[in-house]
Amino acid sequence: MGRTLGTGGMFRGKTVAGPSQFEAPYGNSLVGAYAMVARRHMHEFGTTSEQLAEIAVGVREYAGLNPHALYRDPITVSDVIGSRLVADPLHKLDCCVISDGGGAVIMTTAERARDLRQPGVAVLGAAGGMTHWNISQMGDYTTSAAAVCAPEAFARAGLRPSDVDTIQFYDSFTITVLVLLEDAGFCKKGEGGAFVAEGHLRRGGRLPLNTDGGGLSSCHPGMRGIFLLIESVRDSCAVRAASRRCPMPRLRSRSARAAGSRASAPSCWERRSASHGRGAWRRVEEAAARARPRVRAVLGGRRGRSPALPGVSRVRTPPVLPAAAVHRVRRRSRVGRGVGTRHRAHLHRRATVRRAAVQGRAALRRWR
Amino acid sequence: MIELDEGVRMMGNVTDCDVDRVFVGMPVEAYAVEAADKVGVPYWRPAAQR
């Protein structure tokens, strides 16, 4: 007789009410719940652990490019399969990391964004959905709320999954990504395993996933959504920086696609890797890790086109999000200066803001 | 998850069975376990094992 009462920590020491009372006594854990989804997906569609592992391997490749990622060393499919089982069929490397972290985004109107120092990144469509709280209440284990809200978001944006160049998905576990890929319409239900096995999500593939290293390799402080937004914005800015040298709309228009230009148009990744190739983005990131004060100045654009960083002088609008940091740098620069200096700083700032506004307007025009 | 013949589903632990031999669709039967004083919860074991 092997009897256990509770292996997970989800409900331990808590008073449970509602549907949880029918779940808590059996000790299922959070990873256990995802494991049930994975097992069901395997049962219904023949998905394999190797296919799931492919997601972790691909995300780790991108983590290698992010100096801030927690785990950066490359892994293989057999590394994932060989790591210990946490909740059958999910292995340790199928699971996200546990870390601290935090982030912020600034949302504003397109009108106001025109006057900001950093160019805006437009939100074309958004939608949300909610299906269940307890895993025992999940209707269909292989379908998430994304099946409802992703089509809605696409409809609002006037786009289709085939228009998308790069995706940032919540990747608490590899199975999460697989289900989201299907639900968001990047492949048909049940075909997620085969889709990822074709390597589309890998570096150089046509649909880069979680290019900061995701929750699987970079960071996961419990709530990860903010990092998806931050990476999307950084990606857009990096692409924009690259496309200044090889101008190109971020999203191909449908008419252009119909005319057959899709095959010849460089993917977002190619454009981004063009900037990687020149090393600009890498250098900014590496310098960010090395010399924080100097980079803050670059982030803030305080020195205009200046960075004392070799090779990045052509990245005139640094690919960054944190306007809070920008603000801090600007504030700090005013402290303890004489009036004359302050006036010069004011003139310089005004010129910089005007220049950024021109760039911002141009960026927004490109979006429309 | 245990799906009852009546159509409802409920969470439960499967016992009296090697973990490698549990599979999706396995017939099980309920039995009661006293989890705490005067609190019983249903557990499950392979149906064939009577």
Side-chain angles (χ1 to χ4, degrees):
Chain A
M1 292 278 284
R3 286 182 192 159
T4 54
L5 267 180
T7 53
M10 253 180 13
F11 304 106
R12 191 172 296 152
K14 293 176 188 165
T15 306
V16 292
S20 296
Q21 65 187 298
F22 302 107
E23 201 169 301
Y26 302 106
N28 195 19
S29 60
L30 186 69
V31 57
Y34 279 95
M36 289 167 74
V37 173
R39 180 55 75 196
R40 189 72 201 178
H41 207 280
M42 291 173 166
H43 175 71
E44 285 195 20
F45 306 117
T47 308
T48 65
S49 288
E50 285 78 5
Q51 289 168 341
L52 290 178
E54 184 71 27
I55 295 168
V57 172
V59 170
R60 181 63 67 88
E61 284 180 349
Y62 290 113
L65 300 172
N66 177 4
H68 304 297
L70 204 54
Y71 295 106
R72 304 183 60 200
D73 295 334
I75 51 172
T76 63
V77 167
S78 52
D79 287 337
V80 180
I81 308 289
S83 61
R84 72 182 167 84
L85 272 176
V86 176
D88 190 15
L90 297 179
H91 302 80
K92 186 184 165 197
L93 292 177
D94 282 306
C95 305
C96 58
V97 302
I98 297 174
S99 73
D100 285 334
V105 295
I106 291 177
M107 292 183 67
T108 186
T109 60
E111 179 74 59
R112 204 178 173 91
R114 284 194 193 100
D115 299 329
L116 294 181
R117 191 179 290 261
Q118 303 294 343
V121 173
V123 177
L124 300 180
M130 168 91 186
T131 54
H132 63 281
W133 177 256
N134 296 91
I135 191 69
S136 59
Q137 308 301 307
M138 189 171 182
D140 174 0
Y141 275 45
T142 59
T143 304
S144 73
V148 176
C149 63
E152 203 177 309
F154 274 119
R156 288 180 186 178
L159 297 168
R160 293 179 295 194
S162 56
D163 296 316
V164 173
D165 289 325
T166 177
I167 50 180
Q168 313 295 337
F169 272 169
Y170 180 54
D171 56 349
S172 51
F173 301 93
T174 48
I175 183 64
T176 321
V177 172
L178 200 78
V179 170
L180 290 178
L181 278 171
E182 296 173 347
D183 289 346
F186 290 98
C187 59
K188 289 187 185 140
K189 181 51 72 186
E191 294 177 2
F195 182 81
V196 298
E198 285 165 17
H200 300 307
L201 310 180
R202 296 280 279 263
R203 205 175 155 198
R206 70 174 169 84
L207 196 61
L209 165 85
N210 295 359
T211 44
D212 64 336
L216 289 167
S217 287
S218 179
C219 74
H220 193 309
M223 297 291 150
R224 209 188 126 69
I226 196 76
F227 299 101
L228 308 182
L229 298 177
I230 291 172
E231 177 64 10
S232 307
V233 170
R234 283 181 159 169
D235 182 66
S236 300
C237 292
V239 168
R240 194 173 291 149
S243 64
R244 262 196 283 281
R245 291 182 288 271
C246 44
M248 191 151 312
R250 167 122 173 83
L251 290 159
R252 292 167 295 273
S253 70
R254 290 206 185 138
S255 54
R257 256 202 351 267
S261 66
R262 183 181 169 89
S264 57
S267 72
C268 149
W269 171 252
E270 284 163 334
R271 271 176 275 145
R272 193 178 177 186
S273 65
S275 70
H276 278 302
R278 290 183 172 84
W281 170 253
R282 281 302 293 280
R283 270 195 289 277
V284 169
E285 281 290 71
E286 282 165 10
R290 228 178 22 244
R292 193 149 283 281
R294 182 192 287 169
V295 167
R296 267 224 297 269
V298 173
L299 296 185
R302 182 69 187 84
R303 309 274 176 241
R305 57 176 115 47
S306 82
L309 305 172
V312 295
S313 58
R314 282 192 298 168
V315 184
R316 296 181 61 188
T317 309
V320 292
L321 178 73
V326 172
H327 187 61
R328 197 163 62 237
V329 171
R330 286 164 63 185
R331 290 276 297 274
R332 198 167 284 174
S333 68
R334 274 182 250 152
V335 175
R337 301 275 182 88
V339 173
T341 317
R342 194 176 295 171
H343 184 62
R344 272 201 301 280
H346 166 72
L347 293 176
H348 178 76
R349 195 158 53 241
R350 199 173 64 186
T352 311
V353 167
R354 282 179 180 165
R355 198 162 54 232
V358 169
Q359 287 174 353
R361 274 187 221 109
L364 284 166
R365 266 201 303 279
R366 278 202 295 277
W367 271 103
R368 291 185 178 134
Chain B
M1 288 304 300
I2 311 294
E3 190 168 83
L4 305 188
D5 289 341
E6 292 78 8
V8 295
R9 288 192 296 186
M10 57 189 293
M11 189 68 99
N13 290 62
V14 175
T15 65
D16 300 18
C17 179
D18 192 42
V19 69
D20 295 328
R21 301 186 64 186
V22 180
F23 60 93
V24 178
M26 185 171 87
V28 291
E29 62 178 16
Y31 71 102
V33 167
E34 195 175 344
D37 189 33
K38 292 180 182 169
V39 178
V41 292
Y43 267 41
W44 306 87
R45 60 190 172 205
Q49 203 180 66
R50 285 174 190 277

